[in-house]
Amino acid sequence: MTIRYSKDHEWIRVEGDEGVVGITAYAAGQLGDVVFVELPEIGKQVRAGDEAAVVESVKAASEVYAPVSGEVVAVNDALEAAPQTVNESPTGDGWFIRIRLADKGELDALMDEAAYKKMIEG
Amino acid sequence: MTDALHRTPLYDLHVALGARIVPFAGYEMPLQYEGIMAEHNHVRDQAGLFDVSHMGQARYEGDEAALEALITADLPALGAGEQKYSLLLNERGGIMDDLMLSRPDDGGIFLVVNAACKAADFAHIAAKTKGRGTLTPVADCALLALQGPAAKDVMASLCPDAVKLTFMQAGAFTLAGTAALISRSGYTGEDGFEISIPAAEAARIARTLLDHPAVKPIGLGARDSLRLEAGLCLYGHDMDETRTPAEAALMWAVAKSRRERADFPGAAIVLKQAAEGPKQKRVGFRMAGAPAREGAEIVKNGETIGVVTSGGFGPTAGGPVGMAYVNAEHAAAGTPVEIMVRDRPRPAEVVKMPFAQHHYFRG
């Protein structure tokens, strides 16, 4: 199982030609209590770095960027009723979207876990 | 070039308690400790301790009519041991700041003003009262706010006399061995106290208060969500020099006698607006889904009718809440409007404030 990380604190878990995207535990902790999540429509085409979703904490709204290009094939509707899942399980039930990868080569531009850890520990 | 940020006497304590520190009004202040939501709920359920030492404290002595001419209070009616919320207005009736006035002891009027405005406020008051009164900033005192339903029990354990105060009363007391000015007030909508103490004693007293099992430290994040739910204005956001008390729905802070005498700054403009109805008015709104934040446009049938000045998620209200200025014809409670969030209009409704019931102790 391959998990890659973006510098904007998204993770992507690669499953065949698709990838599941969420935000890291570090990012969820920085945001604080998530009170609302706005998800894209299924079928939306995104390019790496595009805004794919929005996460709202008590204090502010933050963008979630697509770490890779592709088509949004599923969204985590459960977050609409239970946005706090992003805090409770950022890398599990708190996923945001599933993307059909346009170019698996883009994954090479992302970080592995060791590199991401190094980045946040600065 | 930016000026170095100031620190309050409790800065080291905030850091020791694990606060996330942010710059605010020229100070390094705690945004949060364990998290905004938990802190907000703790104040509503038990009690929270806020460091508000960045705010401006001052004493005024001398001809009180000179001070009264700058604000909206009836100072002869401010009795010993009483506190009033008032507004400092410019010549056009624009709000320069909101402030608390009290007569806690024989040392003249005690003023508390906003941190971001304090230098300008104090310069304005000193200049306008020159030769008639003396404004002395109280620079060597910290200011703490103890807020929440358990605040009275906490205060009773340290200073039983202060618990005899009712909402908007103030006095001089001895708190944990230190001289303190204490008022029964705050900015959360809950019962509670504001406590002015010497800076040198502040950390010790804050720790003593935090030792009580009901008390947790609360940051600016929860202070903002608590005051918003209580329907209380934040200066520089929900009011500023471009807004009058009539537009800001703060005519209740203009004393009846001052309205009758029409002798407060900008009275002609403000009273005309109040009588005819201002063009725009501050209102509260609720919505579902994405919270509208400050600056969001309010629309109706494709036309812009107002702007959000404070907005966010209200933990006690259980959803997004906010304040806005809207054109008067859309200001009635129950009016459906739309608010632009990320370029999409979202349904919202003008509602009465507060969003969370006040729990002041009125005796």
Side-chain angles (χ1 to χ4, degrees):
Chain A
M1 192 169 64
T2 310
I3 298 183
R4 290 287 179 270
Y5 299 85
S6 74
K7 61 176 175 23
D8 299 310
H9 308 285
E10 290 89 16
W11 55 263
I12 179 165
R13 188 174 67 239
V14 182
E15 298 178 358
D17 292 337
E18 296 179 354
V20 178
V21 175
I23 64 170
T24 65
Y26 173 81
Q30 289 293 309
L31 286 173
D33 306 291
V34 174
V35 296
F36 183 75
V37 170
E38 193 148 282
L39 297 164
E41 284 180 17
I42 292 170
K44 184 179 177 176
Q45 297 287 338
V46 292
R47 288 194 318 189
D50 280 358
E51 181 184 312
V54 177
V55 56
E56 301 256 10
S57 67
V58 177
K59 196 83 189 136
S62 309
E63 291 80 21
V64 178
Y65 299 103
V68 294
S69 307
E71 179 186 346
V72 176
V73 293
V75 299
N76 187 3
D77 289 329
L79 296 182
E80 283 169 15
Q84 69 276 13
T85 312
V86 176
N87 297 111
E88 291 161 2
S89 178
T91 52
D93 291 342
W95 64 279
F96 281 68
I97 57 172
R98 179 181 278 271
I99 294 177
R100 182 175 300 125
L101 307 177
D103 173 8
K104 283 186 110 170
E106 285 181 349
L107 293 166
D108 296 338
L110 300 172
M111 287 173 270
D112 62 12
E113 190 176 351
Y116 179 69
K117 266 195 174 152
K118 206 174 157 194
M119 184 186 91
I120 57 175
E121 282 161 10
Chain B
M1 203 173 84
T2 54
D3 292 329
L5 291 171
H6 300 283
R7 292 176 175 180
T8 76
L10 295 183
Y11 176 82
D12 290 341
L13 179 61
H14 300 317
V15 172
L17 292 169
R20 191 183 298 174
I21 302 287
V22 294
F24 180 82
Y27 283 78
E28 290 186 273
M29 296 298 288
L31 175 67
Q32 61 174 67
Y33 302 86
E34 67 175 303
I36 295 174
M37 190 94 86
E39 291 167 34
H40 178 111
N41 290 332
H42 191 80
V43 173
R44 293 272 187 250
D45 295 340
Q46 298 195 54
L49 183 69
F50 304 74
D51 177 14
V52 286
S53 305
H54 57 314
M55 297 184 80
Q57 305 178 63
R59 288 285 198 163
Y60 180 84
E61 287 185 281
D63 179 1
E64 292 189 358
L67 174 63
E68 194 190 60
L70 309 176
I71 60 177
T72 57
D74 181 340
L75 285 182
L78 181 72
E82 290 180 356
Q83 185 176 40
K84 274 273 182 274
Y85 174 80
S86 192
L87 303 169
L88 186 68
L89 301 182
N90 66 26
E91 292 306 311
R92 297 172 307 284
I95 303 171
M96 297 174 70
D97 201 1
D98 61 340
L99 69 164
M100 285 288 202
L101 305 164
S102 63
R103 231 185 267 282
D105 54 19
D106 299 331
I109 291 177
F110 180 56
L111 301 86
V112 180
V113 305
N114 280 299
C117 305
K118 64 183 174 185
D121 288 359
F122 292 167
H124 174 74
I125 295 170
K128 295 281 185 181
T129 60
K130 199 174 175 195
R132 297 173 68 189
T134 309
L135 183 85
T136 312
V138 181
D140 53 353
C141 279
L143 191 65
L144 308 180
L146 178 68
Q147 300 280 296
K152 62 178 185 305
D153 303 323
V154 178
M155 186 57 81
S157 70
L158 294 166
C159 184
D161 284 345
V163 180
K164 293 174 191 158
L165 297 170
T166 60
F167 182 57
M168 299 303 271
Q169 289 187 332
F173 299 90
T174 301
L175 174 68
T178 298
L181 298 182
I182 301 178
S183 66
R184 193 91 183 235
S185 59
Y187 221 57
T188 61
E190 299 300 323
D191 182 23
F193 303 87
E194 290 197 339
I195 305 161
S196 176
I197 40 174
E201 300 292 330
R204 182 180 66 81
I205 288 183
R207 281 193 185 278
T208 303
L209 292 165
L210 289 167
D211 278 344
H212 194 288
V215 184
K216 284 185 176 178
I218 311 295
L220 291 179
R223 183 171 171 79
D224 190 45
S225 55
L226 289 158
R227 71 88 201 164
L228 174 57
E229 282 187 342
L232 300 170
C233 292
L234 179 61
Y235 192 80
H237 303 260
D238 308 306
M239 55 186 166
D240 58 31
E241 290 211 44
T242 71
R243 301 291 187 181
T244 68
E247 293 168 309
L250 291 171
M251 286 307 288
W252 59 269
V254 183
K256 191 161 169 268
S257 60
R258 303 298 304 281
R259 276 183 268 166
E260 286 167 0
R261 293 201 303 268
D263 66 348
F264 58 90
I269 295 167
V270 175
L271 293 172
K272 185 167 185 280
Q273 277 183 346
E276 295 173 0
K279 285 198 182 75
Q280 284 208 322
K281 219 174 151 183
R282 182 176 63 93
V283 297
F285 67 83
R286 277 183 188 261
M287 60 199 305
R293 311 283 180 178
E294 182 177 2
E297 239 180 283
I298 304 193
V299 295
K300 182 130 184 165
N301 306 323
E303 235 179 281
T304 301
I305 59 157
V307 63
V308 173
T309 53
S310 280
F313 185 85
T316 309
V321 296
M323 294 184 201
Y325 279 83
V326 296
N327 295 346
E329 61 269 34
H330 304 293
T335 306
V337 296
E338 289 182 313
I339 306 183
M340 300 301 290
V341 179
R342 293 184 284 280
D343 300 326
R344 269 202 357 237
R346 325 259 176 156
E349 186 184 348
V350 175
V351 297
K352 275 207 159 88
M353 290 187 280
F355 304 103
Q357 206 190 328
H358 291 163
H359 295 109
Y360 302 135
F361 178 70
R362 296 180 191 275

